[in-house]
Amino acid sequence: MPRVLTGGATLALVASLAACGNSGGGSSDDGRIHVLVYGDASNKVEKRIVDTFNRTSDVKAVLDTIPGADYQQKLQTIINTPQAPDVFFNWGGGSIQPFVKAGLLMPLDDFVKKDPNLDDKFLPAVYNSAVVDGKPYGIPMRGTQPVLLFHNKDVLDKAGVARPQTWNQLVDAVAKLKSRGVTPIALGGGDQWPTLMWFEYVYDRVAGPGLFQKALDGDKDAWASADSRKALGMLRQLVDAGAFGKNYDSVKYTNGASPALVAQGKAGFELMGSWYYAQQQQDAKDFAADGLGYTAFPAVPGGKGDPSDVVGNTNNFYSVLKKTKHPDAVARFLKLMYSDQFVKAQLAIGNLPTTTNTPRFLGTSASPAYSRFQYGLVAKAKSFQLSWDQAYPPSAMTPIHQAVQQFFDGQLDTDGFIKAMQALPAE
């Protein structure tokens, strides 16, 4: 789900966690399993799974939620206190590395030994996103989240705009929508991370996934390459064309403002993770059923990136606090994450689980066409690039978000953005 992260705070926290990670804290002991999740439209499935678990378990589970905008910061505040959860939602990758380093998380090897399905029932490329130093620290618990280009069908039809298959078609669509007084592309710039999605896709289409991987591996020259400069030039073209309007920094996704622009016909497009369907289903049910369209990100003719490439998050994960008082009950709870019931419940709200039994149930989803589209997109992708702010260590998240926002706002030029990315911390 949406990533609301505070990298600088995480880095500062790691030092304190490392100092006291083995001297107290841990999950509270009120006789129950506390499961902490990101508060959003997908909670209905998590509530249902908890209810299912509680019908047969002597040790009961309780679902605790934190609103999305506050999730990561509050998690960091409680993770090493008596108020810590037994199980908590995360994004895998860099989001859990500080907690692993501080010795707070339970490696799930023993769980897997007792129940190999906790490994075998998930797609390896996804499962491995929560493997740190060769050990699994998370079980996939929602759906794969490729980023798609969503649109309002009626708005596009009235403007004579077809779904853009190429970058030039997208630029043309921007001009047509703008001429009709419609914001071409809704953007929750106030959250910063939605803006990052544009960089991730344009860089991939222009340079292929190799450029970012080189940068991630420490090659700072990758950011100064000709392909990097070309990608930035294309992004600047879009901003200067008025694609996102003028007030995008005052709009947020996390409070529902940017999706509302699309649902209400005030904007044509929005680039967002696949959870967008569930969000619109919750906030604008009729629009989600009849007016919401979606497509892959446009190709860049002559670019090095394959048009089938996707970016986004492979999944969300449940990780387990090492000091949980109820490890056996937690292990039984995690088994539900590959159950048929879980798969069907996630599909019903537009999420696409990454279990091996998912294809059998695609026809039962809230929108079979949407689920099949997503599944086909992910299955055919030559590359599934993890979001930049998840691939880099947590300390880099805030600088990344600031750099992309400042570039869109004109506070950083091409050279300034390159320097900012070259200065990202490696740990």
Side-chain angles (χ1 to χ4, degrees):
M1 289 297 148
R3 291 104 54 227
V4 184
L5 305 167
T6 51
T10 302
L11 182 63
L13 184 69
V14 171
S16 62
L17 291 179
C20 62
N22 297 314
S23 59
S27 61
S28 60
D29 188 14
D30 60 3
R32 301 182 295 177
I33 297 170
H34 283 263
V35 181
L36 182 66
V37 297
Y38 184 105
D40 64 6
S42 291
N43 290 158
K44 63 184 74 173
V45 173
E46 283 128 31
K47 291 175 183 176
R48 193 180 310 168
I49 293 298
V50 164
D51 289 342
T52 298
F53 175 79
N54 286 342
R55 284 199 291 269
T56 59
S57 177
D58 292 334
V59 178
K60 305 304 180 184
V62 59
L63 193 71
D64 299 322
T65 63
I66 293 175
D70 302 321
Y71 182 81
Q72 190 73 358
Q73 184 175 2
K74 289 191 176 180
L75 172 64
Q76 294 164 7
T77 301
I78 65 173
I79 194 69
N80 197 43
T81 73
Q83 287 73 47
D86 296 88
V87 180
F88 68 95
F89 167 107
N90 59 77
W91 293 263
S95 72
I96 59 172
Q97 288 180 2
F99 303 137
V100 173
K101 186 176 181 180
L104 296 177
L105 302 191
M106 177 188 294
L108 303 181
D109 318 56
D110 289 343
F111 284 8
V112 173
K113 287 177 183 177
K114 294 177 182 177
D115 178 16
N117 285 333
L118 285 173
D119 184 335
D120 296 342
K121 290 295 185 181
F122 299 95
L123 300 180
V126 173
Y127 187 85
N128 290 338
S129 294
V131 172
V132 180
D133 296 331
K135 292 182 177 292
Y137 284 92
I139 298 298
M141 49 72 69
R142 280 193 174 178
T144 187
Q145 299 152 10
V147 173
L148 312 177
L149 186 61
F150 293 90
H151 63 267
N152 184 310
K153 295 178 184 178
D154 186 55
V155 168
L156 265 60
D157 287 345
K158 288 180 179 178
V161 171
R163 299 180 184 186
Q165 303 299 308
T166 67
W167 180 261
N168 287 339
Q169 289 174 2
L170 177 63
V171 173
D172 289 343
V174 165
K176 290 179 180 178
L177 290 167
K178 187 178 177 183
S179 71
R180 293 184 62 87
V182 174
T183 299
I185 303 170
L187 177 64
D191 290 317
Q192 297 180 325
W193 55 261
T195 310
L196 176 60
M197 294 175 176
W198 285 94
F199 287 77
E200 292 165 350
Y201 258 127
V202 173
Y203 264 81
D204 177 87
R205 292 292 188 264
V206 170
L211 186 152
F212 178 72
Q213 190 58 51
K214 287 180 180 178
L216 190 62
D217 291 341
D219 183 357
K220 297 183 183 297
D221 290 338
W223 291 115
S225 67
D227 283 338
S228 177
R229 293 178 179 278
K230 180 179 178 180
L232 292 172
M234 292 170 61
L235 289 165
R236 175 54 56 199
Q237 174 193 22
L238 210 59
V239 175
D240 290 348
F244 307 100
K246 297 180 180 179
N247 300 315
Y248 49 83
D249 275 345
S250 63
V251 178
K252 291 188 175 184
Y253 176 87
T254 50
N255 63 8
S258 61
L261 292 176
V262 178
Q264 295 168 9
K266 298 178 181 179
F269 297 97
E270 184 161 17
L271 188 66
M272 187 50 61
S274 57
W275 59 80
Y276 193 76
Y277 180 91
Q279 191 70 50
Q280 291 287 16
Q281 189 182 42
Q282 173 183 275
D283 297 344
K285 188 174 182 180
D286 291 343
F287 170 69
D290 300 318
L292 180 62
Y294 43 85
T295 188
F297 194 84
V300 174
K304 298 175 183 176
D306 193 284
S308 72
D309 289 353
V310 294
V311 306
N313 297 328
T314 55
N315 208 316
N316 293 117
F317 299 85
Y318 273 143
S319 293
V320 182
L321 200 74
K322 183 182 290 185
K323 295 184 179 180
T324 179
K325 311 296 192 302
H326 310 287
D328 292 338
V330 167
R332 293 194 301 273
F333 175 77
L334 293 178
K335 289 183 180 183
L336 292 175
M337 299 306 111
Y338 62 76
S339 66
D340 289 353
Q341 180 183 10
F342 165 84
V343 171
K344 289 187 283 188
Q346 290 288 352
L347 286 169
I349 64 167
N351 288 343
L352 186 66
T354 52
T355 57
T356 56
N357 55 337
T358 294
R360 291 194 286 120
F361 301 106
L362 290 175
T364 70
S365 73
S367 174
Y370 179 64
S371 295
R372 291 190 177 102
F373 175 81
Q374 273 194 86
Y375 188 82
L377 195 71
V378 173
K380 296 174 184 176
K382 298 280 182 66
S383 168
F384 193 149
Q385 180 182 289
L386 186 62
S387 300
W388 291 4
D389 56 359
Q390 298 302 312
Y392 267 93
S395 56
M397 293 174 187
T398 296
I400 290 173
H401 291 173
Q402 290 175 341
V404 301
Q405 181 184 45
Q406 290 171 358
F407 181 81
F408 260 46
D409 290 348
Q411 297 172 11
L412 286 179
D413 61 11
T414 295
D415 288 335
F417 179 83
I418 289 170
K419 289 179 181 178
M421 299 305 283
Q422 288 176 328
L424 292 178
E427 295 183 0

